Amino acid sequence: MAKLSGAELRERLERELPLALADSGAQLPTPAAIHGPPPMVQESEDVLIVAERLIEAALYLRDTLGYSYLSDIAVVDFLAEDVFELVYRFYHLEGGAPLTLKLRVPRAAPDVPALTPHWPGANFHEREAFDLFGIHFVGHPALRRIYMWDEFEGFPMRKDFSKQGDKYIGDEE
Amino acid sequence: MLKTEKLQINIGPQHPSTHGVFRMLVTIDGETIVDLVPVFGYLHRNHEQIAEVNTYLQNMPYTDRLDYFNSMANNHAYALAVEKLAGIEVPERAEYIRVIMVELTRILNHAGALGFLINDMGAWQTQLAFGMREREKILDLFELVSGARLMCNYFRFGGVARDLPAEFVPKLRELMVAMPTFVDELERLLRENEVLLQRAVGIGILPKELAISYSVTGPVLRGSGIAYDIRKAEKYSVYDRFDFDVPVGSVGDVYDRFLVRIEEMRQSRRILEQALTQLPDASGGHINPKARQNVRPPVGDAYARIESPKGELGFYLVSDGSSKPYRYKVRAPSFINLTPLGDMCRGYKIADVVVILGSIDIVMGEVDR
């Protein structure tokens, strides 16, 4: 079983790809309190990297560490921090916990290198992230909307997407 | 040789073989597929957005609607994610009840999926009727425990909604006595069947390396010869206590996926048998009494995944400390398993597309979300 913890991965990356690591280390951005008290910054095992170095780091995970299986790409919109966070999850085919890479891009210019040329399996994940969040994957061969129709304007999963017409929103219990 | 012209046609969105509203934009040369682009979104309702305005518990019945064939499996993955996020413990009896429900779901799904696959090959109704007959028996059991046949909404954070009724275990044992007969009959009918061999062997091949780089999961990945099963690879619940095998194919064609699913039904039955033997008595309770259902998890994120009948089903949750998820993301197996469809179909005939799609086993409720 492949057992590499997030801390070990950070150590390895520090040694091999020092430029890939983002400075702010282990801190997660704090979600904007849309329906709750203001949260606290919390510790996490996941490794935060610089967006421009994503491909290098991902290929290092695949080719050197053997984490060849890209399972999921999730986007979180941290409106208060003005960033999108992307969460990449890689698995080893021998089993074990995932290695998670996170990166943050400013909401105004969400440019992220595409993994699709290296992992064809990232195709639909990235198209979904583009469709719902408007993340621009640089180098993606066919970055089109996947769920919404092509003429649709806006990105419906963004926190500031207008929810006008939904009478249940805004009435906190 | 006559010169032919390439032609673009649509299969779907309304087509009996697409298992829902799903469109394939196909470029053909004669009858051969040159290119295939899957198009979907007809059932898109922004499930994830709706989940953000619901409380955690309100999302439990909503997960039923993802893969409406396997509501129990969806419940399980979601419950695991919330429990991980909020640090809720689950009593042992509840873990066993969950495993029983999810393994029954797997049998039900495969019985149905194989029936539909044979249907797609043109052997109308016979196998589908047999599969649905078995499915009905399991749905009766689900009705017994949860009150609903399809949208079960049975799992709760820290356990399950109610304990097993007294007549459940005898009925399940009865079902399990009859089950091998069904699976054996299915295999005897079809394994050497000329129609199936002609339509399935060597069709829709997905080689090992491609299967990995395309991130496919479940029976499709195992059909390509990779023994990756989350129940073994990243054990969750009480799966470390059961002895079962992970069947794999050799070539990665439709036939291999077919055989993997048959064998998985047998393995699920093995797990059920062990789970029934080990099932703790009711004194431990079916739900953690300290677990609040109106949960307010601490700030943070959590990802939990299970081996659903179709592949890796995962839920990614981000909490801002309130009673509603800040972000709720579903990693849907049917959706990702569709990625290699174009590559799997290229070079085959139009009639094969239907069979290849059937062998992936998709549910549009989960693909479109």
Side-chain angles (χ1 to χ4, degrees), chain A residues 25-48:
Chain A
Q27 286 181 351
L28 270 180
T30 50
I34 46 165
H35 25 233
M40 294 168 307
V41 174
Q42 67 136 36
E43 295 287 312
S44 159
E45 277 241 307
D46 307 324
V47 176
L48 196 65

Side-chain angles (χ1 to χ4, degrees), chain A residues 46 69-74 87 89-91 98 100 125, chain B residues 77-78 80-82 84-85 217 230 234 300-306 312-318 329-333:
Chain A
D46 307 324
Y69 188 83
L70 171 64
S71 147
D72 189 26
I73 302 176
V87 186
R89 236 176 293 280
F90 294 87
Y91 286 94
T100 310
H125 286 302
Chain B
Y78 179 62
L80 282 178
V82 175
K84 205 168 167 184
L85 193 63
T217 41
I230 300 166
E234 198 186 358
D301 62 345
Y303 180 78
R305 58 178 194 154
I306 66 158
E312 175 185 341
L313 174 66
F315 282 85
Y316 178 58
L317 298 171
V318 178
K329 159 104 165 81
V330 188
R331 191 266 184 222

Side-chain angles (χ1 to χ4, degrees), chain B residues 73 141 144 240 275 315 318 333 365:
Chain B
L141 288 179
L144 204 60
D240 49 345
F315 282 85
V318 178

Side-chain angles (χ1 to χ4, degrees), chain A residues 3-19:
Chain A
K3 279 198 187 97
L4 201 65
S5 72
E8 281 166 327
L9 173 66
R10 195 174 301 128
E11 225 170 77
R12 290 247 193 156
L13 284 177
E14 244 163 42
R15 209 165 50 231
E16 317 257 342
L17 293 170
L19 291 174

Side-chain angles (χ1 to χ4, degrees), chain A residues 1 28 31-37 39-40 42 44 46 68-79 85 87 89 91-98 102 118-125 127-128 132-133 144 146-148 156-159 163 169 172-173, chain B residues 37-42 44 46 48-50 52-53 55 210-217 221 226-228 232-235 296 298-303 305 312 316 318-331 335-336 338-339 366-369:
Chain A
M1 286 247 168
L28 270 180
I34 46 165
H35 25 233
M40 294 168 307
Q42 67 136 36
S44 159
D46 307 324
S68 54
Y69 188 83
L70 171 64
S71 147
D72 189 26
I73 302 176
V75 187
V76 189
D77 180 2
F78 290 104
L79 186 62
E85 185 175 82
V87 186
R89 236 176 293 280
Y91 286 94
H92 202 295
L93 281 177
E94 279 168 18
K102 290 185 172 177
H118 304 277
W119 271 273
N123 188 352
F124 284 4
H125 286 302
R127 278 181 64 190
E128 186 190 352
L132 303 180
F133 286 92
R144 292 192 312 271
I146 192 163
Y147 291 136
M148 313 304 287
M157 280 297 285
R158 287 191 179 183
K159 291 282 178 193
K163 296 181 186 70
I169 304 222
E172 272 298 307
E173 71 275 70
Chain B
V37 182
V39 183
F40 38 81
Y42 299 96
H44 181 60
N46 223 345
E48 294 173 2
Q49 171 77 68
I50 297 170
E52 282 174 14
V53 297
T55 63
L210 220 55
I212 299 171
S213 66
Y214 268 123
S215 308
V216 296
T217 41
L221 181 70
I226 297 154
Y228 189 80
K232 292 240 189 229
E234 198 186 358
K235 294 185 173 96
R296 282 172 177 271
V299 177
D301 62 345
Y303 180 78
R305 58 178 194 154
E312 175 185 341
Y316 178 58
V318 178
S319 167
D320 60 355
S322 73
S323 59
K324 297 165 180 175
Y326 184 79
R327 173 84 169 105
Y328 162 104
K329 159 104 165 81
V330 188
R331 191 266 184 222
F335 174 55
I336 301 308
L338 274 179
T339 327
E366 189 178 59
V367 174
D368 284 347
R369 298 198 299 293

